[in-house]
Every structure is written in C-alpha cells, then in structure tokens.
Amino acid sequence: MTWPGHFSIGQRYVTQKAKIRDVAPEQVDDGQNSTRKIAGGLSAREWLEILLILLGGLAAAAVLVVGVPQWLVKGDYSCTTRTPEPTATSTSEATVTSGCQAQAGADGTDDEALDAALSSARAPFGVVAGAVLAGAAASIGVIVSSHNARLTRQTIDEARKTNMITEKRDQETADRERARTDDERFTTAVEQLGNTSASVRLGGLYSLQRLALASPPEVTETPGSSAALERLPVILDIICAYLRQPFHHPQHDWKPPVEQDDPSADAPPRAWWPTDQKERDERDAEREVRRTAARLIATLLPAATSPSVDPASPAPSPAPLGVNLSGAMLDELDLTGRHVGRLQLDGAQISGGLELNGAHIDGDLRLGEGAHIGGDLFLDEGAHIAGDVRLGDGAHIGGGLWLGDGAYIGGGLRLEKDAHVDGSLVLGLRAHLGGGLVLGGGAYIGGDLVLADRAHVGRSLALGEGAHVGGGLWLGRGAHIGGDFLLEKGAHIGGGLRLVEDAYIGGDFVLEKDAYIGGDFVLEKDAYIGGDFMLKKDAYIGGDLVLGDRAYIGRSLVLGEGAHLGGSLMLGEGAHLGGGLRLGDCAYVGRSLVLETDAHIDGDLVLGEGAYIGGGVVLGDRAYVGRSLVLETDAHIDGDLVLGEGAYISGGLFLDKGTHIDGRLSLGSGARLGEGFLRPDSRMRGEWFTAAGVPANQSQPEQRTFDLNHAEQSGPVAEQESTSE
C-alpha cells in the first residue's frame, strides 16, 4: 500500500491554502511625529488669567485701603479765624485759636486731625485688602498647579500611547512569527497524513487537532498582508476528507463466502482482499488511524450546551461547522453532545453504530443513497435536529432507529425508496417531528414502528407503495399525528396497529388498494381519528377492527369494495362515528359486527352488494344508528340481527333483493325501528320475530313492514315462538 499517492487531498490543501506573508514594520506614531509637543510654559490664556487676577486684587486692595477710608472720613477739619466777643475767658480762647492756625496747612485744613481719622478708618480695611491679595495669590497658584497637573497627565498619556503602540507592534510581530510557525506545522501535519507509516499519520492527526484547538492568531490587516488562517473549519474538512478517501477492510465488507466443497476455504470476493499477513496488518493499522480521526472530529466540534447554541445567549453565535463524511468508511461515529451545522453521510459505510445523543444539528441529517450503518442510529437525550432526517434510496441501518425521550426534529423523517431498517423505528417519550413521517416506496422496517407516549408528528404518517413494517405499529398514550395516516397501495404491516388511550390522528386513516395489516386494528379508550376511516378496494386487516370505549372517528368508517376484515368489527361502549358505517360491495367481515352499549353511528349502517358478515349483527343496549340499517342486493349476514334494550335505528331497516340472513331478528325491550321492508327475494332462515315474538310469515311474497306496536301482545306468541323453534 503506497500511502503518499493514496492521500492527495493533503497536498491540495498545502498548495491552495492562504499563506501568512511577511509584513514590514508599520510606520508607527511614536508620540513625536503626529502629536504636538507638550509646551513647558504657561499658555497665553493662563498668563491672561494670572494678570487679570493680579490687577483685580491690587485694584481691590487700593480701593479698600485708600478710597473707602476717605469716603468714610467726613467733617470740618479747617481752622477758621473769628474775632471773639470780649469776655472773661477771651484771653484763653484766643490762645487756642492761635494754636490751630499754627498747625493748619496751606489750605487751612487741620492735617494732624485728618491723618488721625484716616489712620483709624484704614485699619480694618487694610486687613480685608490683605485677604484679597492673598486670595489672588492663591488663585494664581491654582492656575499654575493645574497647568503642572495637566502637563503631567499629558506626559503620562503620551507615554502610555507610545507604550501601547510599541506593544501592538511587538504583538503583531509575535503573531506573524506564530502564524508562520503554525503554517509550517500545518504543512508538515498535512504531509504526514500521506506517510506510509500509520504512527506518522496518527501524529499528523494529533498535530492538526492541537492547531485547531489553539486560539487563532489575530493579525492586523495591513496592505500587502493576509488575515490569519481560520484553521478550525479547514482542519475539520481535512480530517473529513481523509476519511472520505477510499479504504476497504474485511470487517467493513461482508464475510467471504464459504465454498460448498471445502467449508474451511475462504474465497476472496473482492480484488482488494488482503493476500498476505503484511497487507492485512497494514489495513488493520489504517483502520486504527481512521478510528482516531473519527474520535478527533468530535473533539473539534463545540459542545451542544455551549453559549453558541443557547438562543438566550447575548453573544453572537459563530457559523456552525458542517461535517461531510459522504462515502466515508468508518467503524463507528459518536457525536454525542456536539453542535454540528450539517451532517452529510451520503453513501457512508459505518460498520458499527451512529450515536447523536444530545447532539444539536442546525441543518439536515442525511444518510444518502447507499449509506450503511451496521448498528443502531441513536438520537437520544434531547437530541435536536433543526431540519430533516433522511435515509436515501437504498440506505440501510442494521439495527434500529431510535429517537429517544425529548428528541426533536424540526422537519420530517423520511425513508426514501428501498431504504431499510432491520430493527424498529421508535419515537420515544415526547419525541417531536415537526413534519411528517414517511416511508417511501419499498422502504422496510424489520421490527415495530412505535410512537411512544406523547410523541408528536406534526403532519402525516405515510407508508408508501410497497413499504413494509415487519412488526406492529403502535401509537402510545397521547401520541399525536397532525395529518393523515396513510398506507398506500401494497403497503404492509405484519403485526397489528394499535392507538392506545388518547392517541390522536387529526386527519383520515386510509388503507389504499391491497394495503395490508396482519393483526388487529384497535383504537383504545378515547382514541381519536378526526376524519374518515377507509379501507379501499381489496385492503386487508387480518384480525379484528375495534373501536374501544369512547373511541371517536369524526366522519365515516368504510370498508371498500373487496376489503377484507378477518375478525370482528366492534364499536365499544360509547364509541362514536360522526358519519356512517359502510361495507362496500363484496366487502368481507369474518366474524360479527357489534355496536356495544351506547355506541353511536350518526349516519347509515350499510352492507353493500354481496357484502358478507361471518357472524351476526348486534346493536347493544341503547346503541344508536342515526339513519337506516340497509342490506343491499345479495348482502349476507351469517347469523342473527339483534337489537338490544333501547337500541334505536332512526331510519328503519331496509332489505334489498337477494339479501340473506341466516339467523333471526331479535329486538330487545324498548328497541325501536323506524320502519322495515322485506323484499320478495330476501331469504331468511326460519321465521323473523319482533320483540314480542310476533312472527313475520316468510312465505308471503309481498313486502312486509315490521310493526313494533305489538310489543305488548301476549297469548299465542310464546306458543308460536316455541313452535317455530
């Protein structure tokens, strides 16, 4: 085996992927080129503020010290020369006057007194003026301090900016170097996948995993450079591509046939079958490499419980990662609890099982044409698939298909033509299908098809032409089908079909021509079908058809032409048909037709031409037929026709030509018929009796009406009845 040529996809990725190119250092603003220099002195505005404060302080001090005292000091401080009248004291006054004049100035003011008054007034205002000058000085100090603080902040900011630019440049350099190193590791790892040694290929896989899980470098976009490689989706695609490469192993293929003459001899069925132990060992080693690759895929996918999946998470969700394993040859695949964008398995060959328990798939789950899963397909533990689940033409599951408790499929579940599930198909408790459940033409389920309690199918459940369910079909308590239930031409259910208590079908239930149910069909207590129940031409139910207590069919129950019911047709206590009950031409019921107590048919009860009931027709106590009981030409009842106590046929009993009833008519107490007619060619075994035992003479050729007004008659009635018996 030549592995380098075997794995060419690695070389394609090496040559086509984007390279991280060298980037010249940026012309970084270092704080000296593009930013203005920080001035050391005060600005003109600050000088102006200081000058204004200084002048204002000096002016205020001058006013307080000079102007205000002069304004406050008022009075006459002049020396006026007057001639006093001669008195006894004139000599002394004259002396004082002469002293004031001696001290007066040139203007006649008493300077000494004036100075004393001004000094006295200036004392308090001098203190105030000093405070004003001190405040001005403090304001100037604040301006200078603010200027110094601003200079300090600017210096620190510029230093921080310079450091950030330097750190960014250093980080970009480191990132480019890291990207270059990672690129070399990536190239080496991809090349290792083509190595002839299995251990080297394993090393390449683990190297790719480490690269994918490492935080991707963030390289700033600059002219002439490219963004860092988004490695995770690329590496995931590489591993998937590796698994898509052709590979064969005896465990993946059928076992070699045994020659009839020599049971110990193995005849190689394929050209690739190992011819010696060395080649077998090589294939075994490659099988282990592929097992590892399949496990690593799960480690590269995000967890389904991560914030990227949570719709309430405010964080933006990354684009989901798709997994394309179309045509891959695998032992098994386990994506339990992983979040996948889209899972493609077209033509994949998985010898074991596929487990998607708790997985979240944003798109479809596709097992395309020819896909094979040797074991089970599990969607359990709340698995969520936003789109459809499809098994393509001829796809095969060797085990079962299990949608576990709470599993959710936003679209439908479809088995395309000739798709094959060896085991059962099960929708577990509260499992949800937003669309329909469809088995295409020739699709096959070897076991049962089960909708467990409260399982939900949003649209129709359909078995296409020739589709086959080997076991039974069961709808659990409260299971819900929003649309129709359809078995198309030749569709086959090997066992029975049962709708358990409160099961619901919103539309019609239809068995098309030649559709087949091998066992009983049972609608249990309170089961519901919103539309018609129809067995079309030659449809077949091997057992009984039973509507349990209070079971409901919204419209009619019809057995079409040649339809076959191997057992009885029974409407349980309180069962209700919103329309009529009709056995079409040549329809066959192997045993009895029974309406139990309080069973209710709103329309007619009709046996068509040549229809046959192998037992009797019994209307139990208070059973009700809203219109008529009609036996058309050649209809045959191989037993009695019995109306229980209080049974009521509103329209009456009509027997057409050639009607054949092997038993007798028996009406219980309070039973009522609207009116009844007996055709001349009708044949009855023995005599017919009303509830009171009044015989209707069969030999009379005319049409006869059975009048129930004689129910109270007595006398010869018992005698006639005993004679007839």
Side-chain angles (χ1 to χ4, degrees), residues 148-290:
N148 291 335
R150 186 169 64 254
L151 289 178
T152 301
R153 287 195 302 272
Q154 290 178 351
T155 302
I156 293 173
D157 290 344
E158 290 297 329
R160 183 182 295 112
K161 180 179 178 181
T162 301
N163 290 338
M164 290 176 62
I165 293 173
T166 302
E167 290 176 0
K168 182 179 179 181
R169 181 174 55 192
D170 293 342
Q171 184 64 42
E172 290 173 354
T173 301
D175 287 343
R176 284 192 295 271
E177 185 61 29
R178 177 183 176 185
R180 185 180 295 105
T181 302
D182 288 347
D183 189 61
E184 293 173 356
R185 292 171 57 197
F186 176 84
T187 303
T188 302
V190 173
E191 290 174 347
Q192 287 175 332
L193 295 182
N195 196 280
T196 57
S197 172
S199 60
V200 174
R201 296 196 295 275
L202 281 172
L205 287 172
Y206 281 112
S207 295
L208 289 174
Q209 182 206 29
R210 287 194 297 272
L211 283 170
L213 296 181
S215 299
E218 298 178 359
V219 178
T220 305
E221 288 283 357
T222 56
S225 70
S226 61
L229 180 65
E230 294 293 339
R231 293 189 301 270
L232 179 56
V234 174
I235 290 174
L236 183 62
D237 196 19
I238 288 174
I239 297 177
C240 291
Y242 182 86
L243 292 173
R244 292 196 301 267
Q245 298 303 302
F247 174 71
H248 298 287
H249 191 278
Q251 296 298 322
H252 294 168
D253 205 74
W254 59 75
K255 292 183 178 180
V258 177
E259 295 184 356
Q260 296 180 359
D261 298 336
D262 185 3
S264 63
D266 292 341
R270 301 289 183 91
W272 51 262
W273 197 266
T275 57
D276 54 34
Q277 188 60 40
K278 179 180 179 182
E279 187 175 351
R280 180 179 291 275
D281 291 343
E282 289 178 350
R283 292 192 180 276
D284 288 344
E286 175 60 10
R287 184 184 182 191
E288 288 301 320
V289 173
R290 288 172 171 266

Side-chain angles (χ1 to χ4, degrees), residues 444-636:
Y444 177 92
I445 296 175
D448 298 322
L449 197 165
V450 179
L451 276 66
D453 295 351
R454 295 188 293 283
H456 179 96
V457 176
R459 301 179 67 180
S460 297
L461 192 158
L463 276 66
E465 185 172 344
H468 182 99
V469 176
L473 198 156
W474 308 89
L475 274 66
R477 178 174 297 180
H480 181 104
I481 296 176
D484 299 327
F485 193 123
L486 178 64
L487 275 69
E488 295 185 4
K489 181 179 179 181
H492 182 106
I493 297 176
L497 197 158
R498 183 177 294 268
L499 277 66
V500 180
E501 183 176 349
D502 293 320
Y504 176 95
I505 296 175
D508 299 328
F509 182 94
V510 181
L511 273 68
E512 296 283 358
K513 186 177 187 300
D514 296 321
Y516 176 95
I517 297 175
D520 298 329
F521 183 102
V522 181
L523 276 70
E524 293 189 1
K525 181 180 177 182
D526 296 315
Y528 179 96
I529 295 177
D532 292 314
F533 185 105
M534 301 181 66
L535 275 67
K536 294 192 175 181
K537 183 177 180 180
D538 298 324
Y540 180 95
I541 295 178
D544 298 327
L545 197 165
V546 180
L547 277 64
D549 296 348
R550 298 191 304 276
Y552 179 87
I553 294 178
R555 299 176 66 181
S556 298
L557 192 160
V558 179
L559 276 66
E561 181 181 350
H564 182 103
L565 179 63
S568 298
L569 196 164
M570 302 178 64
L571 277 65
E573 186 173 339
H576 188 106
L577 290 180
L581 192 161
R582 179 179 178 85
L583 276 64
D585 297 347
C586 299
Y588 176 91
V589 176
R591 299 176 65 185
S592 300
L593 191 160
V594 180
L595 279 65
E596 295 185 357
T597 302
D598 295 317
H600 192 107
I601 297 176
D602 287 349
D604 293 312
L605 196 165
V606 180
L607 276 65
E609 294 185 13
Y612 176 86
I613 296 178
V617 175
V618 179
L619 278 65
D621 297 346
R622 298 182 303 281
Y624 175 85
V625 176
R627 300 180 67 181
S628 300
L629 172 56
V630 180
L631 278 66
E632 296 182 354
T633 303
D634 295 324
H636 188 114

